[in-house]
Amino acid sequence: MVENGKKLVELKNLNLVFNKGKRNANKAINNVSFDIYEGETFGLVGESGSGKTTIGRAILKLYDKDIESGEILFNGSDVRKLKGENLKHFRSEAQMIFQDPQASLNGRMRVKDVVAEGIDVNHLAKDAQDRTAQVENLLQLVGLNHDHLTRYPHEFSGGQRQRIGIARALAVKPKFIVADEPISALDVSIQAQVVNLLKDIQAQNGLTYLFIAHDLSMVKYISDRIGVMHWGKILEIGTSDDVYNHPIHPYTKSLLSSIPSPDPISERERTPIVYDPTDETDGQEREMREITPGHFVFSTEAEANVYRQHLK
Ligand SMILES: Nc1ncnc2c1ncn2[C@@H]1O[C@H](COP(=O)(O)OP(=O)(O)O)[C@@H](O)[C@H]1O
Ligand SMILES: [Mg+2]
């Protein structure tokens, strides 16, 4: 799916501190660098509090004041320097889908107005009729229909509400969507439907996704590449296959070993790997090093050489 190898999003040595200079200062992002190519889905996994949402929101220019150093480029432009028309354009090109559609949709607005908000703000409809037509198209695209136009979000199931959230994000014809745990709150039976919907929409529109989840098994199906986060750092980056089937960093291995197996025999034999994070605090100089082509692990040169030996 990485069609032309063009970088849409580039993070370069991003450092972000919440409550900078205060007693409760929190270094949420620690020297993170990665690229997201146009047309790909980049999955970001890691346990709660590891900094996934912060990265997504920082890319969307919601945490400018908290960024300590580093750069975020979107289509080659420095996101933090966007102003005026360029900023407006960026705001429609980059959208977000949330974990909890209930909380993110205004409950007092009818579905047609929830979905049309971006159309209204950006004056994308010629007249009322065009506005309705656009909303109907969007609802159809996400598997809802025109009977739903005048209902309120609370009248829908969780899966349908997530579809409304997706329609709302698509209304402004974005290029890039941060999907922040979009299926975590849904019934397992509905999760695959929503993931498939996101995949179909991507195939039709050439969208680029940052897909956030705390569970590797959830992102591997939709992602082209995956980054694994822990304590504000990225510890491993590779293709979905690399990270899921050939994990290298001990933390990635521990994440994978905590996924229950559907097969009762291998489930009985499953030994969860416990990750010991002292190797992140021993003061040694670590950086992302390439172990096999395109597969990077946060390591010292000596550790990287051991990983390379093991893979031979
Ligand atoms: N707006 C904020 N102000 C202060 N601290 C925050 C804020 N948002 C997140 N944090 C902190 O930053 C860290 C990373 O949080 P977050 O990005 O939400 O993690 P994740 O999405 O991986 O669960 C956590 O320690 C969290 O408490
Ligand atoms: Mg989060």
Side-chain angles (χ1 to χ4, degrees):
M1 242 185 283
V2 182
E3 277 144 22
N4 51 12
K6 182 176 175 288
K7 291 171 182 172
L8 183 62
V9 177
E10 296 166 70
L11 267 66
K12 296 179 197 282
N13 305 104
L14 189 69
N15 286 286
L16 185 150
V17 180
F18 286 119
N19 306 313
K20 213 181 304 180
K22 300 195 186 131
R23 257 193 18 215
N24 58 347
N26 181 350
K27 180 140 193 169
I29 302 300
N30 193 337
N31 205 30
V32 162
S33 302
F34 65 90
D35 302 321
I36 306 177
Y37 292 90
E38 207 161 83
E40 87 166 327
T41 298
F42 189 93
L44 202 51
V45 290
E47 63 203 61
S48 180
S50 57
K52 307 180 296 296
T53 296
T54 303
I55 286 188
R57 293 178 60 95
I59 295 171
L60 298 183
K61 197 175 162 62
L62 298 171
Y63 288 147
D64 278 5
K65 70 170 177 37
D66 306 296
I67 293 175
E68 201 178 38
S69 61
E71 247 184 346
I72 303 172
L73 305 184
F74 185 84
N75 238 337
S77 304
D78 186 336
V79 164
R80 291 167 76 195
K81 293 187 181 144
L82 292 174
K83 284 197 188 79
E85 277 306 306
N86 291 335
L87 174 58
K88 236 177 115 181
H89 189 58
F90 171 74
R91 288 272 178 244
S92 61
E93 286 201 307
Q95 289 286 311
M96 188 146 183
I97 300 171
F98 302 88
Q99 170 171 0
D100 183 358
Q102 174 75 6
S104 61
L105 302 176
N106 184 337
R108 281 169 305 184
M109 277 162 76
R110 293 176 195 275
V111 166
K112 64 180 163 82
D113 299 317
V114 169
V115 172
E117 202 168 9
I119 296 175
D120 298 342
V121 169
N122 294 285
H123 312 290
L124 299 178
K126 287 197 290 283
D127 48 35
Q129 200 185 346
D130 180 31
R131 179 183 190 262
T132 306
Q134 287 190 36
V135 173
E136 286 196 1
N137 274 337
L138 288 159
L139 288 185
Q140 199 180 6
L141 189 68
V142 299
L144 297 171
N145 62 55
H146 101 157
D147 296 339
H148 295 129
L149 283 170
T150 52
R151 299 209 202 142
Y152 291 92
H154 70 86
E155 298 176 60
F156 294 85
S157 67
Q160 285 176 318
R161 271 199 296 270
Q162 195 52 286
R163 290 171 191 270
I164 297 168
I166 294 168
R168 173 187 157 82
L170 293 175
V172 292
K173 303 191 169 64
K175 267 193 161 152
F176 174 63
I177 292 183
V178 174
D180 191 0
E181 309 221 20
I183 58 172
S184 303
L186 303 178
D187 286 349
V188 175
S189 59
I190 308 295
Q191 290 179 346
Q193 289 176 15
V194 172
V195 166
N196 286 331
L197 173 65
L198 287 169
K199 282 187 131 187
D200 289 347
I201 290 168
Q202 180 175 48
Q204 286 160 27
N205 300 283
L207 277 167
T208 305
Y209 292 144
L210 175 64
F211 191 98
I212 296 173
H214 54 261
D215 179 347
L216 248 173
S217 62
M218 244 181 222
V219 293
K220 81 157 170 165
Y221 175 66
I222 192 170
S223 305
D224 298 290
R225 291 186 305 133
I226 292 175
V228 178
M229 281 199 83
H230 184 256
W231 290 359
K233 293 195 201 79
I234 300 253
L235 299 182
E236 182 157 0
I237 289 183
T239 62
S240 265
D241 178 55
D242 278 344
V243 173
Y244 194 78
N245 295 318
H246 311 283
I248 295 174
H249 195 281
Y251 178 66
T252 312
K253 291 185 173 177
S254 78
L255 268 185
L256 280 164
S257 78
S258 66
I259 299 172
S261 164
D263 165 15
I265 295 174
S266 50
E267 175 60 21
R268 226 179 297 134
E269 287 165 2
R270 178 168 68 96
T271 35
I273 298 171
V274 179
Y275 171 56
D276 172 7
T278 48
D279 71 350
E280 284 178 61
T281 54
D282 63 5
Q284 289 204 64
E285 283 286 317
R286 286 184 178 79
E287 56 184 79
M288 295 304 279
R289 295 175 199 272
E290 196 166 26
I291 308 301
T292 59
H295 192 170
F296 295 83
V297 179
F298 187 70
S299 53
T300 63
E301 188 55 38
E303 286 164 346
N305 283 329
V306 171
Y307 295 145
R308 289 176 191 125
Q309 284 302 321
H310 277 294
L311 288 172
K312 274 198 183 135

